[in-house]
Amino acid sequence: MTKNKQPRVKRIKLDFSPEESVTSFGGMAVVKRLLLRLGVDGLLESHLPARRGYSLSTITMSAVAGLLSGAQGTVATEVARHDPALRKVLGVAGAPEEATFWRSLWDAGSP
């Protein structure tokens, strides 16, 4: 007879400093760490075509962060655009406005 084993809990250490900006989306640090561990950033950079302005990787990461934080549709990039602490967590200097995200989706679907 096999005993049921309890799953091993992984601990993640996060440090916060009073000198740093604060965001209500601080849990995105865990998401970013997971994406880095999975190599998503590198895959995005290597598989998405280059473009002027924001890279498609930055646009994608901004949209994913916005969607995970509760935004809906193309307005998702606005969450990161207006939150400097969230942009720092994501590791992006800036985030595109909704229209840029919309144009990049349009371009991706064009032949």
Side-chain angles (χ1 to χ4, degrees):
M1 182 182 277
T2 308
K3 285 187 176 182
N4 289 337
K5 288 188 175 182
Q6 291 288 335
R8 191 166 164 233
V9 176
K10 298 258 183 178
R11 297 191 188 276
I12 298 174
K13 182 180 178 187
L14 298 174
D15 294 322
F16 298 96
S17 170
E19 296 85 31
E20 301 277 337
S21 298
V22 176
T23 179
S24 58
F25 303 115
M28 286 295 155
V30 177
V31 172
K32 177 64 175 178
R33 188 175 278 181
L34 173 65
L35 295 175
L36 284 171
R37 184 173 280 177
L38 294 174
V40 172
D41 289 2
L43 288 171
L44 289 174
E45 289 292 337
S46 64
H47 287 83
L48 294 175
R51 66 181 302 275
R52 286 182 320 158
Y54 292 105
S55 71
L56 286 174
S57 175
T58 297
I59 294 170
T60 303
M61 290 303 293
S62 299
V64 167
L67 292 168
L68 288 174
S69 62
Q72 296 180 359
T74 56
V75 75
T77 59
E78 294 290 332
V79 173
R81 182 170 182 244
H82 295 289
D83 191 335
L86 178 57
R87 287 194 312 271
K88 188 172 182 180
V89 166
L90 296 175
V92 296
E97 62 183 2
E98 179 185 9
T100 303
F101 181 39
W102 183 251
R103 281 190 305 272
S104 69
L105 288 174
W106 181 263
D107 293 343
S110 299

